[in-house]
Amino acid sequence: MSVAERLEIVRREIVAAAASSGRDPSAIRLVAVSKTKPPELIREAYAAGQRDFGENYVQELSAKADALADLPDLRFHLIGHLQRNKAKLVARLVSVIHTIDSARLATELGKHAGDRAPDRALDALVEVNVGGEEQKSGCRPEDLPGVLAAVEAEPALRLRGLMTVPPFTEDPRASAPYFEELARLRQAHGGPARLPELSMGMSRDFPLAIAAGATLVRIGTAIFGSR
Ligand SMILES: *Cc1c(COP(=O)(O)O)cnc(C)c1O
């Protein structure tokens, strides 16, 4: 199956998931996760109308941004962990960062995002480690107030919402309580007025994320094949 065909299937599944939870499908944006995949596949998805692409690694993102510089309205989303020493490069390359997990990182990004055009604030989501896993990135739920405030203190960042990656389990249905927890955290910290976006759901569990209120789903394997 081609990328265009798989993309079409995913789009239909998003619409179906939205319908079964009584949500407007246009409130859900698909981020096609292209990590480890070559720029040619991104071009195929782009030709099929896809504009938002998720990447995990800054080096790889930078090479792809160069290779695809002729596609003007393509938007990159950083969905992988970001080290502060790469903040400058990332602030130049991406439209949305999903993985702010500390006040220090927010401050560093804010400093560099100031180099962007004034009408192009960097959209920022705060990653939360809802599963409380040792090794996982994302801030602890109790640290959210400080991280959110640090994002809002940066004029070059635009706070958009929360992101999470639930613990991996054999049964994707086990993700549902973590998605619901992220939605609950949003309610506890200002609701959709302050945090309009919830970035959650991947190839295996995105319908559950949509049922819990996801507005950004990050889907790789189902579009580009296994890695
Ligand atoms: C790789 C990745 C995805 C996409 O995962 P698939 O299972 O391939 O859909 C989504 N989110 C994050 C943070 C990732 O690292």
Side-chain angles (χ1 to χ4, degrees):
M1 232 189 290
S2 68
V3 164
E5 285 166 325
R6 278 187 276 202
L7 197 49
E8 190 49 38
I9 291 170
V10 168
R11 285 179 183 140
R12 286 205 199 124
E13 287 171 346
I14 290 172
V15 170
S20 61
S21 43
R23 297 186 57 205
D24 175 359
S26 71
I28 300 149
R29 185 152 48 128
L30 169 60
V31 179
V33 176
S34 43
K35 65 171 174 237
T36 79
K37 301 295 180 182
E40 299 77 72
L41 290 189
I42 297 181
R43 282 188 192 277
E44 277 186 52
Y46 184 95
Q50 180 64 28
R51 291 295 177 270
D52 293 278
F53 293 90
E55 290 283 342
N56 288 58
Y57 313 106
V58 178
Q59 230 58 347
E60 184 183 341
L61 168 63
S62 173
K64 286 179 184 171
D66 283 344
L68 300 165
D70 58 309
L71 305 179
D73 51 354
L74 178 151
R75 290 179 291 273
F76 278 116
H77 296 235
L78 186 78
I79 63 168
H81 181 65
L82 175 61
Q83 287 165 327
R84 270 181 294 133
N85 61 8
K86 305 246 172 77
K88 185 173 184 174
L89 186 56
V90 161
R92 190 167 57 76
L93 295 175
V94 307
S95 301
V96 187
I97 170 156
H98 292 232
T99 50
I100 294 182
D101 60 0
S102 71
R104 290 173 77 191
L105 180 58
T107 306
E108 189 70 15
L109 269 169
K111 196 164 90 194
H112 299 298
D115 299 342
R116 296 162 65 97
D119 57 329
R120 282 184 67 238
L122 177 57
D123 284 345
L125 286 85
V126 172
E127 180 178 4
V128 190
N129 182 358
V130 285
E133 292 173 281
E134 274 306 309
Q135 322 278 335
K136 199 84 146 238
S137 51
C139 74
R140 296 180 304 173
E142 56 268 39
D143 294 334
L144 256 181
V147 184
L148 294 173
V151 174
E152 287 174 324
E154 296 301 325
L157 300 181
R158 188 167 71 131
L159 179 64
R160 295 297 292 161
L162 303 178
M163 177 272 207
T164 199
V165 181
F168 184 86
T169 47
E170 283 308 314
D171 184 355
R173 283 174 299 182
S175 297
Y178 298 101
F179 297 149
E180 286 154 17
E181 177 61 11
L182 196 70
R184 201 196 59 74
L185 285 169
R186 166 166 74 174
Q187 283 316 120
H189 296 280
R194 187 187 191 197
L195 302 167
E197 307 273 15
L198 289 177
S199 167
M200 54 190 195
M202 323 204 306
S203 293
R204 58 204 303 272
D205 55 17
F206 71 89
L208 295 165
I210 289 171
T215 63
L216 290 162
V217 288
R218 311 176 308 264
I219 301 179
T221 309
I223 297 169
F224 296 112
S226 59
R227 291 179 294 270

